[in-house]
DNA sequence: ATGGTCAACTGGTCATACCAGTTTAAATGG
DNA sequence: CCATTTAAACTGGTATGACCAGTTGACCAT
């Protein structure tokens, strides 16, 4: 019997949640004016402070634009939002994972990881090498527990990103990690091959030890390919449920904008 | 006579600004408890609503942790914040650009751009190819106006990111663009070589047209190297103001944080 | 056509309650 | 004396009603 901490959300959180869902995969196109704060209070049955807190957060997230005296309008989040939004985009209304978003995350991860490893090798401190070794050793010890491996792998990359001494990577990694953790359990299967490739993690750690940027980058790239391949197969399976179809004609339904 | 829209910030914006600056490069270490909301009202001389709006935003940005009944404490933003924060990290108190942050942005850009170009080549629609051509043509027309080129280059990458059909890249690009625009004028010199390399932009566009992912990626990588080299030179120049010094020993003045 | 005025919006600020959790320390029982 | 219970005294969360401050558009005078 596993119990989880009960989710406790404030009113403004609920309002934020509702409005952001409505905007992100709702019928509110960019430019659409939101109801006035007082009207929202009326509809949502909450006080104006809660509405204002939520609106301020939506504004910060790049989902709406607020103008004193003017009004509040929906923005095109694909042009104004930032990585934080991935969490909300990852799931459909019904709770299923949006595999296009998942693929996006895996692709970005695959592009960043080699450079992170490369920089880490060039800039790591002696102490950080030891920490990396510890994580790799822990992974070797838990070789058969996939969920434990997942946590350790995240720790490994967290550490490596720290070594890279690149604040942009660190912040981007935080965002990706949040998203990844949202679909962690769902991806255990897809990632299993990557997680089990302990030798690859060790190769990266070794390359970092000898300050071999190129080697670290190449090892990281090779490691990433496992997960990427998994996601691609999963996508292909869902898009072409019938295995035999080999149609490769591209659709031209993309002149909508 | 060039006039800009007057900056108009609300109280909660001001509070958010002040607190985030204090946290990001202030003396508030992670774990430090913030004053209570009522105490903040007293110190900042504003009403509680404004304080709460600011605190909610800080919480969303990953800078603080709010607990009902408990208190509000400072988080380690390097582990919890996301790319949005780059804007605030980019400038020191005195308004000068933090070149370490700038270098981070350039590095991340250099890692992402080739993959964006590669994916764009694989997934672009016919219409998008034409749009890319238009931007390149516009760049050719404004060949000698660096600021115009900068705007067009951003447009080029915006378009390319759209072609890549990768929502994570799009969102990350939004964040990076905000940061980049913050230091755009300061970087005109550093980027001039890259901006003038019209042939490279054209190579990318051509590769995208013939769906040559590898070619697009390689061209993008080559293009990025201009800007990266510029930033590295600038960093080296600032760290070793005396040109003749060939000392390559690394300073250890970085344990300040 | 231009600029001014006014009324009816919009969001922004304020003060004052009170509700709801958490923490602290005093009161209580052993 | 110590462990437990209890009750303030915090903390953040919600509610209300008023008023300030910009924006818009209709109307009017010039």
């Amino acid at each position: 019997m596993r119990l989880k901490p009960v989710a406790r959300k404030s009113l403004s959180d609920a309002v934020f949640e509702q409005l952001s869902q409505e905007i992100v995969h709702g019928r509110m196109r960019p430019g659409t004016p939101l109801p006035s704060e007082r009207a929202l209070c009326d509809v949502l049955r909450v006080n104006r402070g809660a509405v204002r807190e939520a609106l301020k957060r939506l504004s910060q997230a790049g989902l709406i634009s607020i103008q004193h005296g003017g009004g509040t309008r929906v923005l095109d989040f694909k042009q104004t939002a930032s990585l934080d939004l991935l969490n909300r985009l990852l799931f459909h209304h019904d709770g299923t994972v949006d595999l296009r978003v998942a693929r996006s995350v895996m692709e970005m991860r695959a592009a960043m990881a080699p450079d992170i490893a490369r920089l880490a090798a060039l800039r790591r401190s002696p102490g950080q090498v030891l920490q990396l070794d510890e994580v790799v050793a822990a992974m070797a010890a838990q070789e058969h527990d996939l969920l434990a491996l997942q946590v350790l792998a995240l720790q490994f990359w967290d550490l490596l990103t720290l070594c890279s001494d690149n604040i942009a990577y660190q912040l981007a990694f935080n965002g990706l990690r949040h998203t990844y953790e949202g679909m962690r359990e769902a991806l255990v299967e897809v990632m299993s091959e990557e997680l089990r490739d302990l030798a690859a993690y060790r190769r990266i750690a070794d390359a970092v030890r000898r300050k071999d940027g190129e080697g670290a980058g190449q090892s990281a790239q090779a490691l990433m390919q496992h997960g990427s391949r998994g996601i691609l197969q999963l996508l292909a399976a869902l898009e072409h449920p019938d295995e035999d179809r080999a149609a490769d004609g591209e659709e031209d339904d993309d002149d909508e904008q």
Side-chain angles (χ1 to χ4, degrees), chain A:
Chain A
M1 171 172 168
R2 300 191 63 77
L3 298 179
K4 294 177 294 184
V6 332
R8 204 170 11 214
K9 58 182 172 187
S10 67
L11 286 188
S12 72
D13 286 348
V15 175
F16 175 80
E17 190 71 26
Q18 202 169 329
L19 288 177
S20 69
Q21 292 298 330
E22 196 69 20
I23 292 173
V24 167
H25 34 236
R27 292 150 300 288
M28 308 204 77
R29 265 187 294 279
T32 307
L34 245 61
S36 75
E37 295 181 353
R38 291 165 176 94
L40 282 174
C41 299
D42 217 52
V43 175
L44 301 169
R45 316 278 264 176
V46 297
N47 66 81
R48 198 162 155 220
V51 169
R52 281 185 56 81
E53 285 173 15
L55 290 180
K56 270 285 182 186
R57 287 174 59 193
L58 286 170
S59 168
Q60 172 169 330
L63 297 185
I64 65 173
S65 157
I66 304 177
Q67 221 180 11
H68 184 180
T72 302
R73 292 188 304 173
V74 176
L75 292 177
D76 182 1
F77 67 89
K78 288 188 178 177
Q79 288 186 359
T80 54
S82 112
L83 269 186
D84 299 317
L85 202 66
L86 272 184
N87 303 305
R88 271 159 228 296
L89 287 172
L90 186 58
F91 299 101
H92 292 121
H93 316 71
D94 53 9
T96 62
V97 171
D98 185 333
L99 280 173
R100 286 175 199 279
V101 176
R103 184 192 65 177
S104 295
V105 174
M106 300 299 273
E107 283 172 354
M108 182 166 171
R109 177 190 84 118
M112 285 174 47
D115 201 47
I116 290 176
R118 183 180 67 84
L119 294 177
L122 302 179
R123 299 177 185 158
R124 94 288 187 288
S125 73
Q128 289 171 325
V129 174
L130 299 180
Q131 292 183 48
L132 273 177
D133 285 340
E134 283 175 19
V135 175
V136 173
M139 291 181 79
Q142 310 247 355
E143 203 166 1
H144 300 296
D145 183 351
L146 272 183
L147 267 89
L149 279 179
Q150 236 175 358
V151 173
L152 286 169
L154 274 175
Q155 210 173 324
F156 180 87
W157 284 108
D158 202 0
L159 208 48
L160 213 60
T161 308
L162 199 65
C163 295
S164 77
D165 191 31
N166 180 309
I167 186 66
Y169 280 145
Q170 287 179 53
L171 297 179
F173 178 78
N174 289 338
L176 287 182
R177 182 178 49 194
H178 276 129
T179 305
Y180 182 72
E181 280 173 351
M183 57 180 182
R184 202 162 61 85
E185 285 140 18
L187 284 190
V188 152
E189 281 310 314
V190 178
M191 306 289 299
S192 69
E193 200 180 343
E194 178 176 321
L195 290 171
R196 278 193 236 273
D197 190 356
L198 187 57
Y201 289 97
R202 191 168 279 136
R203 270 198 298 277
I204 296 175
D206 286 341
V208 168
R209 184 198 332 279
R210 26 173 235 276
K211 299 195 176 185
D212 175 8
E214 293 313 311
Q218 284 170 17
S219 301
Q221 187 178 12
L223 179 60
M224 289 298 104
Q225 277 176 349
H226 291 157
S228 303
R229 196 162 45 223
I231 272 284
L232 284 183
Q233 285 174 355
L234 213 134
L235 264 169
L238 284 193
E239 285 184 351
H240 306 286
D242 189 7
E243 305 277 311
D244 302 56
R245 271 178 63 190
D248 54 343
E250 49 269 44
E251 296 82 345
D252 13 4
D253 55 352
D254 38 34
D255 34 346
E256 41 183 315
Q257 50 182 356

